[in-house]
């Protein structure tokens, strides 16, 4: 049987939530990933040293063993340098949300006035803290990411020593931006390597494919595939796996988020094999992230096997992407 082994897979963009949801989803990621960047959009957001430390403890308590590293993040505000110095050893990145753009982002940035942000972003550059950005404007939903490119340019030019990660990119515009500035990087989800808007609303409306940023056009999907399959060195896998309970997805007023954590590596194997690029998957799911973030994850060896895996209907209260459908690859062993 055909197998493929991945060393130290990393998920560079993950939502774990808190409480019962955290206990449901954290073990699923900890099983097959060595580590993950943990998003700070809790209610209230993770925006103090105490909040980072206690959230990390709750994450560690929710995973069944020590072979998983939660790389913690702070919710961006215009922090001063003294505060950033106090928190630098506890975090891997700071996550910036435009105010109100997605789930629990109300306390985000409402003005991209560079001078207002300068003290914080200069301090982050000096302390080598990356800035992870949800790059969408409040424009028309299909144009929000492309419209944000001018803000990425402004940030990249004004803060050349700041590592800026364009999170969960979905457009050719973002792909084209990547090589324009040395300090721009990107994460890509697995669902954005599979879906276009047609898969969300082209037929029956599919709430479990609905997320922010929304899946775009076929040419955008092609552009994302081209850099992911080549494992472009400035690109990393970040699932943006975002669990919501079934009653918040299958309802009028569906919450944004696709839950992929337990099926991500299987789907990635399927995609990379389909394009005969399995040899590049290791860089996409781990090596690139290690170089970009300068991290050394816990050892983990995950072997996948080419056999049918039927995605469970639910994990606790959460319905995963492709529930009940077959994937061509399954996880065989984790050491
Ligand atoms: O679809 C999304 N869900 N996009 C985000 O940016 C946030 C996430 C969530 O937290 O549910
Ligand atoms: Zn996210």
């Amino acid at each position: 049987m055909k197998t493929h082994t991945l060393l130290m897979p990393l998920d560079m963009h993950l939502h774990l939530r808190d409480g019962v949801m955290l206990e449901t989803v954290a073990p699923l990621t900890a099983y097959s990933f060595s580590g993950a960047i943990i998003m700070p959009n809790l209610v209230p957001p993770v925006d103090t040293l105490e909040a980072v430390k206690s959230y990390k403890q709750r994450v560690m308590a929710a995973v069944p063993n020590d072979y998983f590293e939660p790389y913690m993040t702070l919710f961006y505000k215009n922090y001063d340098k003294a505060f950033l110095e106090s928190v630098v050893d506890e975090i891997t990145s700071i996550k910036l949300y435009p105010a109100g753009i997605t789930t629990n982002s109300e306390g985000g940035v409402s003005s991209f006035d560079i001078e207002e942000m300068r003290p914080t972003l200069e301090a982050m550059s000096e302390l080598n803290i990356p800035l992870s950005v949800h790059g969408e404007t409040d424009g028309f939903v299909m144009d929000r990411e492309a419209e944000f490119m001018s803000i990425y340019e402004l940030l990249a030019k004004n803060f050349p020593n700041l590592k800026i990660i364009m999170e969960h990119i979905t457009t050719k515009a973002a792909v084209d931006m990547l090589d324009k500035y040395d300090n721009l990087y990107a994460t890509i989800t697995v669902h954005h390597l599979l879906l276009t808007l047609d898969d969300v609303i082209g037929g029956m409306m599919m709430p479990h494919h609905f997320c922010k940023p929304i899946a775009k056009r076929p040419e955008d999907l092609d552009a994302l595939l081209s850099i992911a399959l080549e494992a472009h060195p400035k690109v990393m896998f970040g699932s943006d796996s975002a669990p919501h309970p079934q009653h918040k997805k299958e309802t009028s007023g569906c919450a944004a988020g696709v839950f992929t954590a337990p099926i991500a590596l299987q789907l990635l194997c399927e995609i990379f094999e389909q394009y005969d690029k399995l040899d590049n998957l290791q860089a996409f799911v781990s090596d690139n992230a290690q170089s970009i973030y300068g991290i050394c994850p816990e050892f983990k060896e995950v072997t996948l096997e080419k056999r049918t895996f039927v995605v469970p209907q639910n994990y606790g209260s959460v319905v995963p992407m492709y529930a009940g459908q077959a994937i061509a690859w399954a996880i065989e062993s984790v050491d």
Side-chain angles (χ1 to χ4, degrees):
M1 191 156 304
K2 188 168 179 179
T3 63
H4 188 75
T5 297
L6 296 169
L7 295 177
M8 284 92 84
L10 294 169
D11 183 345
M12 303 310 282
H13 184 130
L14 178 67
H15 298 270
L16 288 179
R17 318 297 191 203
D18 217 338
V20 174
M21 183 63 90
L22 170 65
E23 284 165 20
T24 304
V25 300
L28 301 170
T29 290
Y31 173 64
S32 55
F33 289 88
S34 273
I37 296 250
I38 311 301
M39 289 296 131
N41 61 332
L42 304 184
V43 184
V46 179
D47 60 359
T48 65
L49 177 57
E50 295 68 38
V52 172
K53 282 185 172 173
S54 70
Y55 189 32
K56 183 170 185 177
Q57 277 173 5
R58 298 198 297 283
V59 171
M60 290 310 288
V63 302
N65 59 49
D66 288 341
Y67 303 108
F68 176 73
E69 179 72 30
Y71 298 104
M72 304 309 290
T73 62
L74 193 67
F75 190 95
Y76 183 92
K77 292 183 177 167
N78 287 332
Y79 298 112
D80 64 26
K81 187 164 185 192
F83 170 72
L84 293 172
E85 280 169 343
S86 75
V87 78
V88 62
D89 292 340
E90 297 292 331
I91 59 170
T92 302
S93 178
I94 295 183
K95 176 67 187 285
L96 185 155
Y97 289 97
I101 200 69
T102 189
T103 311
N104 304 337
S105 62
E106 291 72 19
V109 170
S110 45
S111 151
F112 282 91
D113 180 335
I114 287 293
E115 295 317 317
E116 260 176 54
M117 302 172 82
R118 187 174 295 279
T120 306
L121 295 178
E122 270 174 4
M124 286 173 63
S125 308
E126 282 161 29
L127 296 167
N128 200 18
I129 304 173
L131 178 72
S132 300
V133 182
H134 184 118
E136 290 194 284
T137 67
D138 60 2
F140 177 66
V141 67
M142 287 292 279
D143 298 334
R144 287 176 190 174
E145 184 174 290
E147 286 175 4
F148 201 87
M149 291 305 127
S150 57
I151 300 178
Y152 278 131
E153 293 214 72
L154 207 59
L155 292 169
K157 272 189 213 162
N158 274 275
F159 306 99
N161 298 319
L162 179 68
K163 276 189 179 155
I164 300 165
I165 294 119
M166 303 189 285
E167 295 291 339
H168 44 55
I169 59 170
T170 59
T171 55
K172 182 171 183 308
V175 171
D176 292 342
M177 185 59 59
L178 193 60
D179 286 323
K180 269 182 90 172
Y181 296 92
D182 287 349
N183 55 335
L184 282 183
Y185 303 85
T187 58
I188 301 181
T189 74
V190 69
H191 51 281
H192 289 122
L193 293 176
L194 291 162
L195 307 177
T196 68
L197 188 63
D198 262 358
D199 301 298
V200 188
I201 54 165
M204 300 265 258
M205 198 185 69
M206 305 296 274
H208 299 293
H209 293 173
F210 172 65
C211 65
K212 300 289 179 64
I214 196 123
K216 305 289 191 310
R217 308 180 69 88
E219 50 269 38
D220 296 304
L221 175 60
D222 289 345
L224 296 173
L225 279 169
S226 71
I227 53 170
L229 292 168
E230 294 307 326
H232 185 299
K234 296 174 89 182
V235 168
M236 308 165 266
F237 172 63
S239 71
D240 198 14
S241 177
H244 292 277
Q246 185 169 10
H247 71 270
K248 293 215 168 161
K249 293 291 291 175
E250 298 175 10
T251 184
S252 161
C254 163
V258 179
F259 182 60
T260 54
I263 61 167
L265 292 179
Q266 299 90 319
L267 283 176
L268 286 170
C269 267
E270 185 171 276
I271 298 166
F272 277 64
E273 190 205 19
Q274 185 191 336
Y275 290 93
D276 202 15
K277 295 288 180 185
L278 264 180
D279 288 349
N280 291 344
L281 185 53
Q282 177 63 34
F284 181 63
V285 296
S286 185
D287 302 354
N288 290 355
Q290 290 185 49
S291 322
I292 293 167
Y293 272 96
I295 52 179
C296 288
E298 298 286 339
F299 182 82
K300 194 169 278 185
E301 188 179 73
V302 182
T303 300
L304 293 106
E305 194 170 72
K306 192 166 182 198
R307 68 173 151 83
T308 299
F309 163 61
V310 178
V311 178
Q313 289 294 346
N314 62 286
Y315 293 87
S317 66
V318 190
V319 178
M321 183 184 178
Y322 290 165
Q325 295 185 41
I327 300 180
W329 286 79
I331 292 179
E332 169 54 19
S333 63
V334 179
D335 293 306

